[in-house]
């Protein structure tokens, strides 16, 4: 498809994605820059970084998302997904309007704390502690 006058390619084949994003990642270092994002923190963003910064970030993060580590995260993420499904069913039964931003924000925070930090906290059920409060203040 074209975005303005620039051609873009969308890859939907799983094997080709693996080839581009995993096996040949070092050949695809300079992604398109989003002009609306101009903060200094975006320069360290994996999707927006370029050249040496991108290579360094990618090499640092690759071991974090190995097949074994991803498989270890599945039960933690499944737990959060089950809680989200239960909460959404409860909301549907009640029939009232729901602040989905807050609901999915809680789900996201709970998932990240579980998968990245090994911290199981029932944020979706309203539980919180110092870590969740500190993390929430960032966003």
């Amino acid at each position: 498809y074209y975005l303005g006058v620039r051609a873009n390619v969308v890859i939907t084949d799983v094997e080709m994605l693996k080839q581009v994003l995993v096996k040949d990642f070092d050949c695809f270092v300079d992604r398109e820059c989003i002009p609306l994002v101009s903060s200094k923190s975006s320069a360290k963003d994996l999707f927006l970084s370029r050249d040496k910064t991108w290579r360094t970030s990618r090499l640092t993060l690759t071991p974090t998302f190995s097949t074994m580590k991803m498989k270890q995260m599945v039960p933690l993420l499944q737990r959060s997904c089950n809680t989200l499904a239960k909460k959404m069913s409860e909301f549907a039964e009640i029939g009232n309007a729901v602040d989905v931003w807050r609901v999915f924000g809680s789900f996201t925070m709970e998932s990240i704390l579980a998968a990245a930090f090994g911290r199981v906290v029932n944020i979706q059920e309203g539980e919180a502690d110092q870590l969740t409060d500190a993390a929430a203040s960032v966003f």
Side-chain angles (χ1 to χ4, degrees):
Y1 73 94
Y2 281 87
L3 184 59
V5 295
R6 186 173 188 151
N8 289 278
V9 176
V10 177
I11 301 172
T12 58
D13 179 66
V14 175
E15 292 304 316
M16 189 179 287
L17 281 171
K18 284 182 188 176
Q19 187 70 37
V20 170
L21 297 175
V22 179
K23 297 175 183 169
D24 293 331
F25 75 89
D26 57 330
C27 297
F28 300 94
V29 295
D30 292 331
R31 307 250 189 314
E32 172 121 15
C33 184
I34 300 170
L36 297 175
V37 180
S38 61
S39 69
K40 289 181 181 179
S41 64
S42 68
K44 296 187 185 219
D45 184 302
L46 183 62
F47 297 107
L48 300 176
S49 62
R50 301 178 70 78
D51 301 320
K52 187 177 179 186
T53 304
W54 182 85
R55 288 178 193 273
T56 303
S57 298
R58 180 67 164 82
L59 290 171
T60 302
L61 289 173
T62 297
T64 304
F65 296 100
S66 67
T67 303
M68 182 184 75
K69 289 186 181 178
M70 294 293 282
K71 285 181 181 179
Q72 291 173 342
M73 291 180 200
V74 169
L76 299 170
L77 297 174
Q78 186 66 46
R79 181 182 173 282
S80 294
C81 290
N82 290 340
T83 303
L84 177 64
K86 184 182 95 179
K87 296 294 281 183
M88 295 303 277
S89 293
E90 290 171 5
F91 294 140
E93 287 176 14
I94 295 170
N96 291 340
V98 176
D99 182 359
V100 293
W101 180 265
R102 186 176 303 272
V103 172
F104 281 97
S106 296
F107 165 73
T108 302
M109 181 75 69
E110 185 176 292
S111 299
I112 291 171
L113 288 174
F117 301 105
R119 242 352 242 280
V120 178
V121 182
N122 295 320
I123 298 171
Q124 296 181 78
E125 299 292 343
E127 290 182 19
D129 61 11
Q130 287 180 328
L131 177 63
T132 58
D133 293 339
S137 70
V138 172
F139 303 104

